[in-house]
Amino acid sequence: MADLNSLPSIPYGAYNGSGSTGGDSLTEDLKIFYKSGDIAWMMTSTALVLLMIPGVGFFYSGLARRKSALSLIWLSIMATAVTSFQWFFWGFSLTFSHAAGRFIGNLDNIGFRNVLAQPSVGSPLIPDLLFAVYQGMFAAITVALAVGAACERGRMLPCVIFMFIWTTVVYDPIACWTWNPSGWVYELGGLDFAGGTPVHISSGSAALAYSFLLGKRTGYGTQALNYRPHNVTHIVIGTVFLWVGWFGFNAGSALSANMRAVMAVVVTNLAACVGGVTWCLVDYRLERKWSTVGFCSGVIAGLVAITPGSGYVPPWAAVVYGACAGIGCNLATQIKYWVHADDGLDIFAVHGIGGLIGNLLTGLFAADYIAHLDGYTVIKGGWLNRHWIQLAVQLCDSVAGMTYSFAVTLLILGTMSVIGWYIPAFVLRITPAEEKQGTDDIEMGEFAYDYVELIRNVKPLEPAHDVSQIFEDEDIDAESQWSNSRAEMARNLELQGGRGGAYSMHTLSRSLEVGEVYSHSGAIGTAA
């Protein structure tokens, strides 16, 4: 057996304060300031948070109708690209510059200038550059959560413009005052381990404001919008991506590989499980059905709620977080009806209210000995430690973040709407006719499912196989289903004129008889 003492090792040394970049890599060994285990864990956590972003896309896509399914996935991954550039350009500097003010940072680190091996403002255990890329994923997923409010009626280009502006004037200030040691919430003693206010409350409030400004979808309040999620499998896949990625989201916020990160993993998983079961039970009480969509929604609600407290509370408290989130977020889905906002994906109910619940419960259950599991964090705790004022601090933080995000989002979108009167690129919403056709077709010219495009390009000859019977989206008329393909269909029929009206391609359609499935070239069987 090899002698471990004979293996080469690198001694760990305290940071010596050499320059704004952490030192000269040509003359100094910069890696001696940080432990390789911490570096490896934070790089892994960064990748896990990135995995969450397509998870958001799949989750939103499954909840919507198929004619807008691909556009929601596109918005999520585009949010990653736009926000990552914004974060590199000036977002990181505005949020985590070492000389930041109480509300916003400065431009000392614009373009990642001097961002290298100096210990980060988040923790002295990891360098600036690693902290920057990790926190950049937080900014990206926050934007991805918020822009889901554009579902089924928002135009893509103005939404992309909104991403850059919103990250700069909403997310960056809230994250700065929450996590930067110079921020007013941080100095006040607010406890937000992984983003209750900067991520969830801000994105949920922004989504509600976006829903207000866009207006209600065509057919809102009628049978036309009384549809089921078009792809529950997408919802499950998105939930799994989010659940797995959330370990990097919460446990990574310990900013090193330590016992506090381990505790964050434990409470994150437990809250998710309890949240899913609780939401299911609430739905079963009403409908006597075990809902997959309900379970997935409850899992997300539990994960959202435990986020601010994941590095502060013991395992038993995670059960309370999950139960309160499952019940509270489920009931909060009715808020959109009370305020007359078409929040079709319930972003405010799950993220806005879920983040609020998590912040308040952290004020109750934060424990000083849990926070000190990393060996250096000292807090007064919450009601669990008889620090009664902590609940008021958490409420102040939540209300400030919610109000600021909602108001400034309205201001941004309102300004864009006015500009849209003169510059069409800023018009936020597609027309009612385009809405019937779907954002995938109008804004992208691509579809989540191949058969949709095939059906657009084939006109059935038999009256019994009318195109309007093929789609489950009842508000799409036959005119929009094969919209700009009439000329192509005419050419196909002309070319096939000598073959008894045969089709140039085969597709499936459903007849009026329940369960019967036909090919256009003949019956192929009966569905079970």
Side-chain angles (χ1 to χ4, degrees):
M1 184 175 179
D3 182 7
L4 297 180
N5 293 324
S6 66
L7 297 176
S9 62
I10 299 173
Y12 172 72
Y15 177 66
N16 57 17
S18 48
S20 59
T21 62
D24 183 357
S25 62
L26 294 176
T27 59
E28 300 176 69
D29 187 1
L30 302 182
K31 60 181 176 290
I32 67 171
F33 304 141
Y34 308 103
K35 296 179 180 178
S36 57
D38 293 339
I39 299 294
W41 167 237
M42 292 309 301
M43 291 176 68
T44 302
S45 295
T46 300
L48 288 171
V49 179
L50 176 60
L51 178 68
M52 296 172 68
I53 300 174
V56 171
F58 275 107
F59 188 83
Y60 284 171
S61 171
L63 285 171
R65 287 175 287 186
R66 64 171 50 86
K67 64 180 180 178
S68 302
L70 189 61
S71 60
L72 287 167
I73 298 177
W74 185 90
L75 282 173
S76 295
I77 58 177
M78 181 56 73
T80 308
V82 173
T83 308
S84 293
F85 174 76
Q86 187 274 351
W87 194 249
F88 156 79
F89 182 65
W90 60 20
F92 174 72
S93 187
L94 291 174
T95 308
F96 291 112
S97 55
H98 290 263
R102 300 190 68 199
F103 299 96
I104 193 70
N106 55 35
L107 297 179
D108 287 349
N109 302 119
I110 187 171
F112 276 11
R113 176 177 174 270
N114 293 329
V115 177
L116 190 60
Q118 184 181 13
S120 68
V121 298
S123 169
L125 301 179
I126 62 171
D128 260 343
L129 188 60
L130 180 55
F131 183 67
V133 68
Y134 177 67
Q135 284 293 338
M137 295 299 106
F138 275 62
I141 193 171
T142 304
V143 175
L145 291 170
V147 297
C151 73
E152 302 193 335
R153 71 237 197 242
R155 295 180 64 236
M156 302 292 104
L157 178 57
C159 190
V160 171
I161 297 171
F162 169 79
M163 292 175 187
F164 190 94
I165 299 172
W166 188 87
T167 310
T168 301
V169 300
V170 177
Y171 178 81
D172 292 348
I174 295 178
C176 178
W177 77 48
T178 303
W179 287 324
N180 195 306
S182 300
W184 70 269
V185 171
Y186 191 99
E187 291 182 341
L188 191 62
L191 302 178
D192 193 336
F193 190 64
T197 300
V199 177
H200 298 296
I201 288 179
S202 70
S203 63
S205 303
L208 186 64
Y210 209 141
S211 300
F212 268 121
L213 261 293
L214 280 182
K216 299 171 183 176
R217 287 168 290 175
T218 302
Y220 183 84
T222 69
Q223 188 65 25
L225 284 187
N226 185 23
Y227 64 90
R228 291 181 179 274
H230 94 275
N231 193 323
V232 178
T233 303
H234 273 190
I235 296 174
V236 174
I237 291 173
T239 301
V240 171
F241 280 14
L242 286 165
W243 198 337
V244 172
W246 226 290
F247 291 127
F249 194 82
N250 284 356
S253 293
L255 301 180
S256 67
N258 54 41
M259 280 300 298
R260 195 179 185 192
V262 175
M263 181 60 74
V265 168
V266 172
V267 298
T268 295
N269 188 63
L270 192 55
C273 295
V274 175
V277 172
T278 302
W279 192 301
C280 258
L281 291 174
V282 173
D283 280 355
Y284 185 83
R285 175 183 61 86
L286 299 173
E287 301 180 13
R288 296 297 186 266
K289 300 287 185 182
W290 298 107
S291 169
T292 303
V293 177
F295 178 80
C296 291
S297 299
V299 167
I300 303 302
L303 290 168
V304 169
I306 196 61
T307 292
S310 53
Y312 296 112
V313 300
W316 62 264
V319 177
V320 182
Y321 275 81
C324 290
I327 296 172
C329 293
N330 186 300
L331 298 177
T333 58
Q334 302 303 308
I335 293 177
K336 62 186 178 185
Y337 301 114
W338 303 343
V339 299
H340 304 289
D342 185 10
D343 183 7
L345 302 178
D346 286 320
I347 303 171
F348 179 73
V350 174
H351 294 277
I353 300 302
L356 175 63
I357 290 171
N359 274 355
L360 296 181
L361 291 179
T362 300
L364 295 176
F365 300 126
D368 51 6
Y369 73 97
I370 297 294
H372 199 62
L373 284 173
D374 59 12
Y376 60 88
T377 299
V378 177
I379 65 170
K380 295 180 180 179
W383 281 39
L384 198 65
N385 290 126
R386 299 185 179 183
H387 184 227
W388 318 117
I389 195 63
Q390 189 63 49
L391 184 61
V393 174
Q394 298 298 108
L395 180 61
C396 175
D397 173 30
S398 302
V399 172
M402 185 175 291
T403 303
Y404 181 80
S405 178
F406 183 82
V408 177
T409 302
L410 284 178
L411 180 61
I412 295 170
L413 293 172
T415 302
M416 291 178 66
S417 296
V418 173
I419 296 175
W421 296 346
Y422 308 98
I423 305 176
F426 283 84
V427 175
L428 297 176
R429 180 170 175 159
I430 59 178
T431 66
E434 292 172 335
E435 189 179 338
K436 287 185 178 181
Q437 195 164 331
T439 52
D440 288 0
D441 193 1
I442 293 300
E443 290 289 295
M444 305 179 67
E446 297 174 334
F447 304 92
Y449 308 98
D450 287 342
Y451 81 87
V452 175
E453 187 168 7
L454 290 177
I455 290 172
R456 288 173 72 246
N457 294 321
V458 177
K459 178 181 179 181
L461 297 181
E462 300 89 342
H465 297 160
D466 186 6
V467 177
S468 63
Q469 300 165 22
I470 296 172
F471 284 73
E472 292 182 10
D473 298 322
E474 298 298 335
D475 64 328
I476 310 176
D477 58 17
E479 184 75 19
S480 64
Q481 289 166 17
W482 40 271
S483 57
N484 59 1
S485 61
R486 295 183 187 178
E488 182 177 343
M489 291 187 293
R491 286 194 297 271
N492 288 337
L493 291 174
E494 186 176 328
L495 290 172
Q496 304 296 335
R499 287 187 272 169
Y503 289 91
S504 59
M505 62 182 76
H506 293 277
T507 62
L508 299 179
S509 64
R510 287 197 295 274
S511 73
L512 287 174
E513 296 297 323
V514 177
E516 293 183 353
V517 182
Y518 294 87
S519 166
H520 288 309
S521 59
I524 61 173
T526 303

